[in-house]
Amino acid sequence: MSYRLKGYSLIQWNPRLVSATASRSSILAVESSYPSGLGGNSEIFPVFDGAQRAEAIAARTVLPIGPLPGRGRAAERTWFRKLGHSLDSYGGGGTGGKVYEYMGRMFELTVKDPQFVEKVRDVVGLYMSPPDNALVLCVDEKSQIQALDRMQPLLPLLPTHPERRTNTYARHGTTSLFAALDIATGRVIGKTFRRHRSHEFRKFLDEIEAAVPTELDVHLVMDNYATHKTPAIQRWLTRRPRFHVHFTPTSSSWLNLVESFFSIVDRRVTHRGVHRSTNALEDDIRKFLDAHNSAPKPFIWTKTADQILDSLKRYCTKANAVRVERERRARAH
């Protein structure tokens, strides 16, 4: 897979495909003068076995995208052809690695929240060791869910053909799903609203209050969306001392387990669904919620806060090394 880093594409190689036999050994040419253009000399890097080989190649194979005539897949194919290679040949056969030149991932490293570490430890602590006599609920909204109808009927899945659909569609309105995931059981309290304001969020909090037994405290894991912090919401929470709020760090919704449930809703309800009205879309969402709650399965959080922070530290170290290498190459040319 490839990770985009400010104009860079870092190609990682799969160490499981590496063999210790000499027939799998090869030489990877990486053009050191690439930042100044496609011509010039090349540097030759030896190939190692196992994890050492994968780490060495991943650390050295940094492809600047900027100087290429164009960006994306075509630009990277041009770069490999200039080196006398083909991306199609990097499928794990002779080289022992695989380049996913079509794959990219988006990420945002939170640096705006000065309490990032404290919030990570707080939320992950709830997941790993929930308090007694309390319910931990991950709360969020999936807004602007569109009721879409394809302009032509779907062509069904056949043994030799995938399901096919047109790339044009008609919109029939939107709705928003408010959901609260119980991390202990996997059950979800959900409700749809046509609008997405603090007024609707307060109504959803009323739904949560009615669904949770009065003898239990309620710990809410939420993001920093503005509707969660309005004066009306703060007054509602102040009047109910059994409710405790735990905010995820800024731009860190990945820490909220309910996002995994929203991903399932997207794949199973909306992605391939055909809805000719907002009512039809909301009916399908409610049916899915009922089916999910009839046999719920909890999401198990496995990484501790220390493991998350250590992983982030390692990533920042590698990303900084890429930046330093870029500056070194710029000075050399």
Side-chain angles (χ1 to χ4, degrees):
M1 62 187 68
S2 65
Y3 294 84
R4 304 279 178 182
L5 299 176
K6 297 294 185 183
Y8 274 72
S9 176
L10 175 61
I11 298 179
Q12 293 188 337
W13 296 70
N14 191 343
R16 294 177 300 173
L17 301 177
V18 177
S19 171
T21 62
S23 61
R24 288 257 177 168
S25 298
S26 61
I27 299 297
L28 177 67
V30 178
E31 194 171 55
S32 62
S33 60
Y34 182 72
S36 61
L38 290 176
N41 299 323
S42 299
E43 289 180 342
I44 306 298
F45 297 96
V47 176
F48 303 97
D49 290 328
Q52 183 184 12
R53 172 182 182 275
E55 189 70 22
I57 296 177
R60 302 293 294 273
T61 316
V62 181
L63 312 181
I65 299 301
L68 283 171
R71 297 175 182 270
R73 283 181 285 178
E76 292 175 1
R77 284 186 179 275
T78 302
W79 188 83
F80 269 84
R81 282 197 298 268
K82 183 66 177 179
L83 297 180
H85 298 278
S86 170
L87 276 175
D88 296 331
S89 66
Y90 281 71
T95 61
K98 188 169 185 179
V99 178
Y100 298 91
E101 48 100 15
Y102 55 83
M103 185 182 296
R105 292 185 178 180
M106 301 296 295
F107 80 99
E108 180 174 351
L109 181 60
T110 302
V111 294
K112 298 178 290 186
D113 196 331
Q115 296 180 319
F116 177 83
V117 174
E118 291 80 1
K119 290 180 178 179
V120 168
R121 294 191 182 279
D122 179 34
V123 174
V124 174
L126 279 177
Y127 294 159
M128 305 293 289
S129 181
D132 296 331
N133 299 320
L135 196 66
V136 179
L137 298 176
C138 296
V139 179
D140 204 357
E141 310 88 20
K142 184 173 178 61
S143 60
Q144 300 296 312
I145 306 175
Q146 300 185 75
L148 301 179
D149 181 20
R150 297 291 167 178
M151 302 300 290
Q152 297 180 20
L154 296 177
L155 298 181
L157 177 69
L158 297 175
T160 58
H161 293 81
E163 179 187 86
R164 288 173 289 182
R165 67 181 75 90
T166 63
N167 60 351
T168 57
Y169 51 83
R171 292 193 179 106
H172 297 286
T174 62
T175 189
S176 296
L177 172 62
F178 289 68
L181 172 70
D182 181 0
I183 68 168
T185 65
R187 292 181 59 85
V188 175
I189 303 170
K191 191 173 181 61
T192 57
F193 292 94
R194 297 294 175 88
R195 303 189 68 178
H196 183 214
R197 304 168 300 175
S198 62
H199 178 68
E200 285 75 25
F201 183 63
R202 186 185 59 79
K203 287 185 177 180
F204 182 61
L205 290 177
D206 292 335
E207 295 274 342
I208 295 176
E209 184 181 29
V212 178
T214 56
E215 65 272 12
L216 295 178
D217 283 352
V218 183
H219 293 262
L220 303 178
V221 177
M222 303 189 300
D223 61 21
N224 295 271
Y225 193 63
T227 57
H228 302 162
K229 296 183 175 182
T230 62
I233 300 301
Q234 293 177 359
R235 288 194 298 269
W236 191 96
L237 293 170
T238 301
R239 291 195 294 267
R240 293 161 177 81
R242 73 182 183 123
F243 279 77
H244 310 275
V245 178
H246 306 261
F247 288 109
T248 61
T250 304
S251 302
S252 298
S253 292
W254 52 268
L255 203 56
N256 196 332
L257 274 177
V258 77
E259 297 295 339
S260 298
F261 175 75
F262 286 152
S263 176
I264 296 175
V265 172
D266 183 58
R267 295 195 306 270
R268 299 186 181 180
V269 180
T270 62
H271 182 63
R272 296 187 178 183
V274 175
H275 303 98
R276 295 181 173 87
S277 68
T278 308
N279 289 332
L281 173 61
E282 292 175 340
D283 287 342
D284 278 356
I285 292 175
R286 283 190 287 267
K287 290 177 182 177
F288 177 78
L289 286 172
D290 293 339
H292 174 83
N293 289 330
S294 64
K297 293 183 179 179
F299 299 105
I300 306 300
W301 192 274
T302 58
K303 277 199 171 184
T304 65
D306 287 337
Q307 290 174 322
I308 294 173
L309 296 173
D310 288 343
S311 176
L312 180 62
K313 180 181 178 180
R314 290 193 302 269
Y315 176 78
C316 290
T317 301
K318 291 182 179 180
N320 187 63
V322 171
R323 180 185 61 81
V324 172
E325 177 66 12
R326 179 188 181 186
E327 295 175 352
R328 185 191 69 80
R329 294 186 180 185
R331 289 194 300 268
H333 293 281

